[in-house]
Amino acid sequence: MNKDFLQYQAQTSPYPLGMEVSHAKGSYIYDTNGNAHLDFVAGVSACTLGHCHPEVVEAIKNQVDKYMHVMVYGEYSQSPATTYTKLLADNLPAPLEVTYLVNSGTEAIEGALKLARRYTGRSEIIAAKSAYHGNTMGSLSLMDFEERKSVFRPLLPDIYHIEFNNEKDLEKITTKTACVILETIQGGAGFILPKNDYLKKVKARCKEVGALLILDEIQPGFGRTGKLFAFEHFDCVPDILVIGKGMASGLPVGAFTASKEIMHTLSENPKMGHITTFGGNPVIAASSLATLNVLLNSNLIADTLRKEALFKSLLKHPKIKEIRGKGLMLALIMDTPETANELVLQAKEKNLILFWLLFENRAVRISPPLTISEKLIKEGCAIILALLNSM
Ligand SMILES: Cc1ncc(COP(=O)(O)O)c(C=O)c1O
């Protein structure tokens, strides 16, 4: 592994995979030794259209030739961000209309929490157990894993946890609650889907007590689950939608969207209720716009469900106990954590990129680019099955 990578670039993972990347194209990442690695992870669901999609690259290059950063967020009218937020609004149900663009998923979560507190005038926040919303102080405060939180305390106060899919817990949402924040599909927990109209019931309870529902679609958004946004599967429109990751198909980005009425509260008392230098950056907005246009003008989103079915039909093995998730956000639940770990590491040796999930240690992540071909799905699955047979 490159020594300078270990010595000069701060590490927080004790065992980085350490591949030395040369370039990437489509569903492959190429290392500096000339090996092609088939990518079943897509930068942890970020490279929606694969690596260096030509329309995304062209949009970025065109924008770079015109202008890059010109002013802090929201002062100047810049067509990439304006066109993009309008196109998003055109493809979101009412009342989701106004989008605030930021730099990462976790910043979008921070913005959404601030917005919910500001709009309701309440401080209590309810999050789900085993949720992951990011790693800045506010997002970290939402997590219920003490071993990941305790050394960073004091964190945000007034945060309580409910169990995802447990209807009895809904009574914990009261007139003191500013917002309930949930991942539409729980990611780090093992790609857990909401059951029995759970999200609709949460929304109804929120409405009853005057709390806002925030849905974190940072991972499932942008077509990954077979709809543009995963909440469309569950017939539940949030008050605040949080997006990021796959939005720009590989550039750093995040955003939160709400009604005009709710979002407006960030403009007064105090004015500039959220500010950020690079939010709405024209190059990233151009990349986001190209990504969304490709998604809307192709069959990629619908094809995701066909590809899910292909994965599920191929990946049958006694060591795979279950396949969770939806579309191209799939988790193989293995017989033991050791099998999961070995599979990820041995696949690496066979030039197939797999990855772990944050909290479910029996899970192996499969979240390839939406552009992956059926042929490559078959090739990757054959590698997985051969490895499992040899274990
Ligand atoms: C559901 C969810 N929320 C929030 C985040 C944080 O996003 P970012 O890493 O861009 O800060 C992630 C990232 O993995 C995520 O999956």
Side-chain angles (χ1 to χ4, degrees):
M1 204 181 295
N2 187 328
K3 280 205 190 94
D4 288 351
F5 164 67
L6 292 176
Q7 186 162 350
Y8 297 110
Q9 191 175 347
Q11 307 289 334
T12 58
S13 161
Y15 311 108
L17 290 171
M19 185 212 298
E20 280 192 45
V21 178
S22 156
H23 60 286
K25 185 82 194 144
S27 292
Y28 282 102
I29 301 177
Y30 298 84
D31 68 26
T32 48
N33 297 320
N35 300 310
H37 300 258
L38 177 56
D39 190 357
F40 267 18
V41 176
V44 188
S45 304
C47 305
T48 306
L49 301 179
H51 301 282
C52 298
H53 188 282
E55 288 180 48
V56 174
V57 170
E58 192 190 350
I60 293 170
K61 285 184 174 167
N62 284 342
Q63 187 54 43
V64 165
D65 283 341
K66 285 188 197 142
Y67 61 96
M68 291 189 275
H69 179 69
V70 287
M71 190 29 125
V72 295
Y73 182 83
E75 293 292 339
Y76 292 174
S77 162
Q78 301 171 46
S79 74
T82 309
T83 312
Y84 181 65
T85 49
K86 178 174 183 315
L87 187 62
L88 257 187
D90 290 345
N91 286 282
L92 281 168
L96 297 172
E97 188 185 356
V98 189
T99 297
Y100 194 125
L101 300 164
V102 294
N103 306 282
S104 65
T106 198
E107 188 194 354
I109 295 288
E110 301 285 341
L113 297 178
K114 286 167 71 182
L115 180 59
R117 282 190 166 175
R118 172 67 188 85
Y119 180 74
T120 60
R122 304 174 184 176
S123 72
E124 182 181 279
I125 295 170
I126 293 189
K129 293 179 184 169
S130 301
Y132 181 74
H133 296 289
N135 248 275
T136 48
M137 288 292 190
S139 305
L140 186 64
S141 307
L142 299 171
M143 209 188 266
D144 73 323
F145 277 84
E146 246 343 280
E147 67 269 25
R148 282 181 170 265
K149 284 170 64 169
S150 57
V151 294
F152 301 112
R153 285 189 183 283
L155 293 168
L156 277 192
D158 227 2
I159 293 185
Y160 304 91
H161 292 99
I162 57 175
E163 205 176 312
F164 195 75
N165 276 330
N166 180 343
E167 288 176 33
K168 284 205 188 105
D169 268 6
L170 298 189
E171 64 195 32
K172 293 182 183 163
I173 305 166
T174 69
T175 51
K176 287 192 187 148
T177 310
C179 62
V180 177
I181 177 162
L182 299 172
E183 294 166 88
T184 309
I185 295 176
Q186 284 206 308
F191 293 179
I192 314 278
L193 270 68
K195 285 192 293 212
N196 302 328
D197 285 334
Y198 175 68
L199 293 180
K200 273 171 98 169
K201 289 170 187 164
V202 177
K203 176 80 194 276
R205 177 68 182 162
C206 284
K207 203 165 171 206
E208 200 179 315
V209 298
L212 298 184
L213 174 62
I214 303 175
L215 286 184
D216 177 346
E217 291 250 355
I218 288 169
Q219 182 150 209
F222 295 98
R224 187 153 286 283
T225 70
K227 298 268 187 196
L228 186 55
F229 296 103
F231 68 76
E232 297 168 49
H233 290 291
F234 307 108
D235 195 20
C236 168
V237 179
D239 299 293
I240 306 175
L241 172 70
V242 188
I243 49 183
K245 266 197 194 283
M247 181 173 159
S249 206
L251 291 190
V253 72
F256 53 105
T257 303
S259 67
K260 218 177 219 109
E261 183 204 344
I262 293 177
M263 193 66 87
H264 179 70
T265 56
L266 281 184
S267 342
E268 56 187 24
N269 299 325
K271 62 183 179 181
M272 298 190 288
H274 190 73
I275 47 175
T276 170
T277 301
F278 289 120
N281 176 277
V283 179
I284 293 174
S287 176
S288 305
L289 182 59
T291 302
L292 186 53
N293 271 322
V294 172
L295 288 175
L296 294 174
N297 298 315
S298 68
N299 291 327
L300 283 172
I301 297 181
D303 283 354
T304 296
L305 295 176
R306 220 171 19 83
K307 290 173 183 173
E308 170 191 347
L310 181 59
F311 269 112
K312 286 186 168 164
S313 69
L314 294 170
L315 290 175
K316 292 201 162 98
H317 192 279
K319 289 187 189 296
I320 301 173
K321 294 296 164 199
E322 192 186 343
I323 302 182
R324 289 200 203 130
K326 195 153 186 71
L328 290 178
M329 183 177 164
L330 298 174
L332 309 183
I333 306 298
M334 311 306 300
D335 53 351
T336 64
E338 291 73 28
T339 310
N341 199 40
E342 272 305 298
L343 180 58
V344 174
L345 294 175
Q346 291 190 22
K348 181 184 171 233
E349 301 307 314
K350 301 282 178 199
N351 297 341
L352 171 68
I353 301 173
L354 300 173
F355 211 55
W356 301 272
L357 290 189
L358 211 48
F359 304 130
E360 171 54 86
N361 60 13
R362 285 181 309 141
V364 173
R365 161 195 288 275
I366 296 188
S367 57
L370 305 196
T371 47
I372 194 166
S373 66
E374 293 195 0
K375 179 173 170 283
L376 292 186
I377 291 175
K378 287 179 188 160
E379 278 181 30
C381 289
I383 295 173
I384 292 174
L385 294 174
L387 287 173
L388 291 177
N389 283 338
S390 71
M391 277 182 200

